[in-house]
Amino acid sequence: MKEYVYAPFADELRRLDATGSLRVLPEGAQEGKWITDSGHRMLNLSSNDYLGLAGDTALRDEFLNQTPPEAMRFSASSSRLLTGNFAEHRRLEQLLASLYGAEAAIVFSSGYHMNAGILPALADRRTLILADKLVHASLIDGLRLSAAKCLRFRHQDYDQLRALMERHHAAFDRTIIVTESVFSMDGDVARLQELVDMKHHFPGTLLYVDEAHAVGVRGRRGLGLAEEQACLDGVDILCGTFGKALASVGAFTVCRRVVRDYLVNRMRPLIFTTALPPVNMAWTRFVVERLTEFADRRERLAALSARLREAFARRGQAMPSESHIVPLVVGESSDAVRTAVRMQRLGFYVLPIRPPTVPEGTSRLRFSLTAALDAADVDRLTANLFTP
Ligand SMILES: *Cc1c(COP(=O)(O)O)cnc(C)c1O
């Protein structure tokens, strides 16, 4: 037998378990704002269905009723560069480009594909990438796979970014500044106009913004934080995902046409993967077409989020968040796990976030609110959380 081959994996899992860091795939059936695990019903406070659209069965039925069976193709059966490029892909891209007032848009299989693929395609040895310390793991993988020189600046520390620019910028042909707009773990928001100004100050600089948590949620029309901060024009590579507020799957970038054409030629996670199914593109387009109409949901989510942040702040919690992602930093992994388990028993489905997802010593409960909740839900949550 060759069981010894597996022994290191088992050892490592035991070690993770001992430090409260073992991950398992959670189970649970979802219905509206609820999630049920082994007959125990909990309020879902860990969903990315920010506008409550994925759980909205009336919206789904409306889509199904208006979509003819011939549009219900469940596989693209091929890469977009071969036979997988359907009219539905093009229609969605045209819609996105026109909404954002951009030259072009391009759709990807997921946000992970997008972020792991764009930087390696665009950046060569003569490129400098400056990325916020807290950007998403998919962007980190993109940095690692690229041939560029990569430097990270302290989270939202634009003075340090400027200093790095001054020191290194001139030695490279181009520079790409990479940030999220709403950050996934602290829920704080980037000051995009400052980055746009920085970009203009240093010629040959592109600004790459991942709006995964902001698309659908922020901005008057739900286009994201760049819309809200009135700097859509200043963002060169504006990235969004469909899997969160937009209740679908996949991701998109709005950019210059030349960038789109270049990615079609050079981006491996676009070229070497099967395109998203046409039925899925049709559903995404159905949702995106209604984005403006969901303003009431955006307002509701903003009000609920402010309510929760204020409740935490009143109890002396440092509160970095300015969004619907509201962390409660506990410190040690084991404490985060213990509190999460207690809250789950009480009927609040919240998950602990631990290293390596967040820095050591900042394990937390991460509440991500949705428009399906109401103020009473938030009040019950805080009441239970702070009862010893
Ligand atoms: C969720 C997320 C992604 C990944 O998107 P998927 O479509 O789920 O692969 C990328 N970037 C950020 C900031 C995210 O939060």
Side-chain angles (χ1 to χ4, degrees):
M1 286 298 283
K2 291 196 186 140
E3 286 307 312
Y4 65 87
V5 179
Y6 298 102
F9 305 141
D11 289 347
E12 177 65 3
L13 289 174
R14 269 191 294 277
R15 194 190 63 76
L16 289 173
D17 201 12
T19 54
S21 304
L22 185 71
R23 295 163 183 241
V24 294
L25 298 176
E27 297 187 9
Q30 298 189 42
E31 200 195 323
K33 65 181 178 181
W34 304 102
I35 185 163
T36 306
D37 187 5
S38 318
H40 178 52
R41 195 174 77 153
M42 296 167 282
L43 205 55
N44 190 351
L45 298 164
S46 300
S47 173
N48 295 330
D49 183 18
Y50 300 138
L51 297 180
L53 301 177
D56 186 333
T57 49
L59 192 69
R60 179 200 61 195
D61 293 345
E62 193 188 331
F63 170 73
L64 292 175
N65 289 336
Q66 74 160 54
T67 308
E70 54 279 15
M72 301 261 189
R73 194 178 163 118
F74 293 101
S75 176
S77 307
S78 174
S79 161
R80 292 189 65 190
L81 279 91
L82 301 173
T83 62
N85 194 35
F86 286 77
E88 276 304 342
H89 295 93
R90 296 192 294 274
R91 289 166 79 181
L92 178 57
E93 289 175 348
Q94 278 159 11
L95 172 62
L96 289 164
S98 80
L99 269 179
Y100 281 85
E103 271 184 24
I106 180 162
V107 165
F108 308 105
S109 300
S110 74
Y112 186 87
H113 284 75
M114 170 176 72
N115 285 332
I118 293 179
L119 288 171
L122 294 183
D124 60 11
R125 271 188 188 73
R126 308 284 312 138
T127 306
L128 170 67
I129 299 178
L130 295 168
D132 188 286
K133 187 81 186 158
L134 292 193
V135 293
H136 191 262
S138 55
L139 282 162
I140 303 297
D141 289 0
L143 300 178
R144 286 190 185 144
L145 287 168
S146 84
K149 173 160 177 82
C150 301
L151 299 170
R152 315 269 297 276
F153 54 93
R154 281 186 298 275
H155 180 48
Q156 303 252 46
D157 184 342
Y158 298 162
D159 291 334
Q160 190 194 18
L161 171 61
R162 178 177 295 277
L164 290 170
M165 277 290 215
E166 274 159 5
R167 188 158 349 126
H168 299 284
H169 165 265
F172 293 86
D173 291 349
R174 68 180 158 274
T175 300
I176 307 178
I177 298 175
V178 180
T179 186
E180 280 176 42
S181 63
V182 172
F183 279 86
S184 38
M185 290 301 143
D186 285 349
D188 54 342
V189 307
R191 304 182 304 278
L192 296 175
Q193 188 58 49
E194 282 182 44
L195 296 177
V196 173
D197 293 345
M198 184 104 61
K199 174 190 102 163
H200 289 312
H201 186 78
F202 296 93
T205 302
L206 297 173
L207 178 57
Y208 182 131
V209 180
D210 181 346
E211 297 243 40
H213 296 286
V215 166
V217 175
R218 306 295 287 243
R220 194 176 52 80
R221 293 186 294 153
L223 302 183
L225 196 73
E227 185 204 5
E228 183 180 302
Q229 298 185 352
C231 53
L232 277 172
D233 283 351
V235 181
D236 301 286
I237 318 276
L238 188 150
C239 296
T241 66
F242 301 132
K244 294 184 170 115
L246 301 189
S248 186
V249 64
F252 69 95
T253 295
V254 291
C255 54
R256 294 277 280 268
R257 175 153 294 283
V258 64
V259 171
R260 181 184 191 278
D261 293 346
Y262 192 79
L263 294 175
V264 167
N265 284 273
R266 286 284 185 269
M267 181 173 154
R268 296 170 67 86
L270 171 69
I271 300 170
F272 298 107
T273 196
T274 300
L276 285 170
V279 66
N280 196 265
M281 298 288 86
W283 162 249
T284 306
R285 189 161 56 84
F286 176 88
V287 174
V288 172
E289 276 171 343
R290 284 158 183 72
L291 210 48
T292 313
E293 294 169 26
F294 298 135
D296 53 338
R297 298 187 188 228
R298 282 190 280 281
E299 281 159 26
R300 183 184 175 85
L301 179 59
L304 291 172
S305 308
R307 195 177 184 93
L308 183 62
R309 293 193 310 259
E310 282 156 20
F312 283 4
R314 269 200 306 278
R315 276 150 172 113
Q317 283 288 327
M319 185 42 66
S321 170
E322 300 159 78
S323 70
H324 56 292
I325 297 171
V326 185
L328 184 75
V329 175
V330 198
E332 290 309 310
S333 289
S334 49
D335 293 336
V337 173
R338 200 171 324 109
T339 312
V341 168
R342 180 172 77 84
M343 291 308 290
Q344 289 177 20
R345 281 206 196 100
L346 291 169
F348 301 93
Y349 190 69
V350 59
L351 293 171
I353 308 283
R354 295 160 276 176
T357 307
V358 292
E360 214 52 68
T362 71
S363 286
R364 64 195 64 190
L365 303 187
R366 174 179 179 274
F367 297 93
S368 100
L369 301 185
T370 76
L373 302 167
D374 57 36
D377 293 327
V378 171
D379 294 347
R380 275 195 306 120
L381 162 67
T382 44
N384 279 276
L385 193 56
F386 295 108
T387 316

